[in-house]
Amino acid sequence: MTAVATALRELWGLFVEDASLTLGILVCVVIAAWALPALGLREAWRGPVLFVLLAIVLSENVRRSARR
Amino acid sequence: MIGLHDEAAIYAKETAALARDGGGTPRLRARLDGVALATSFKGVTLEGLEVIFIVIATGAGGLLAPAALGATLAGSLVILAGLGLRRPLARVPENTLKFAVGVLLSAFGVFWIGEGLRYPWPGEDLALLALAGGFSVIALLAVAAVRRSRRPA
């Protein structure tokens, strides 16, 4: 069981380096998928808005990491 | 955030540790080394999974065979290039390489998310260049900001 738990933890670690950054990215994707169309944003602007959201999440993560 | 480090020194340290764990005599080293196997397997699994996802995403809609063939050819080329260029590649500054790869992966990742959400990217595939440029600017500004904040007062 310990070996299985270790293997799962290693597999998780391969995909998720920083859980807060991962969560932030997922929130941005959810906003892009549902909130932007619901707000009636023109299709041509949704990609650039997605980029801006992700850039904000990335910058905030760097700021927090630098303070640690 | 990962700080600057010496890849050559880390590689030497890790291989020494693996040699120590695998046994000191040539006879013992000739057997299958579980530690080295697990380490390499872990490193390659993630990249292999990425390839699978890219092939599936590219090949969706009846193009799976060409996508798989393209990935196989690319994989073969990369292996040959890695064998032939390993010495000159080892001279490329590691952190510069990681920075460039990070920017490109981020740009492609955002682009593919948009494609998956059926966004019409301005300029279509050329949006990749804009995304790469955007992430480069943000990353460079972030590096400058972190350096400034860590400068002694």
Side-chain angles (χ1 to χ4, degrees), chain A residues 10 14-15 32 47 54-55 66, chain B residues 42 46 49 110 119 121 138 150:
Chain A
E10 290 288 318
L14 279 179
F15 288 96
L54 290 168
Chain B
K42 203 173 109 173
L46 187 59
L49 281 171
V110 174
Y119 286 177
W121 284 103
I138 288 162
R150 291 195 170 171

Side-chain angles (χ1 to χ4, degrees), chain B residues 37-134:
Chain B
L37 184 77
T39 304
S40 301
F41 179 80
K42 203 173 109 173
V44 172
T45 292
L46 187 59
E47 307 306 324
L49 281 171
E50 284 180 31
V51 169
I52 289 169
F53 287 131
I54 289 170
V55 167
I56 291 171
T58 312
L63 295 171
L64 209 53
L69 181 63
T72 306
L73 287 171
S76 308
L77 264 172
V78 167
I79 289 169
L80 289 172
L83 288 170
L85 298 172
R86 66 185 184 282
R87 289 193 205 284
L89 274 177
R91 288 200 289 269
V92 174
E94 178 215 353
N95 292 301
T96 305
L97 199 59
K98 284 183 175 177
F99 187 93
V101 169
V103 164
L104 289 173
L105 284 176
S106 300
F108 272 94
V110 174
F111 183 80
W112 281 110
I113 289 173
E115 290 283 294
L117 294 173
R118 299 186 188 281
Y119 286 177
W121 284 103
E124 295 184 355
D125 288 353
L126 289 176
L128 273 167
L129 294 174
L131 288 169

Side-chain angles (χ1 to χ4, degrees), chain A residues 20-31 50 54 57-58, chain B residues 113:
Chain A
S20 64
L21 179 61
T22 304
L23 195 60
I25 291 170
L26 289 174
V27 167
C28 289
V29 172
V30 167
I31 290 172
L50 172 63
L54 290 168
V57 165
L58 178 62
Chain B
I113 289 173

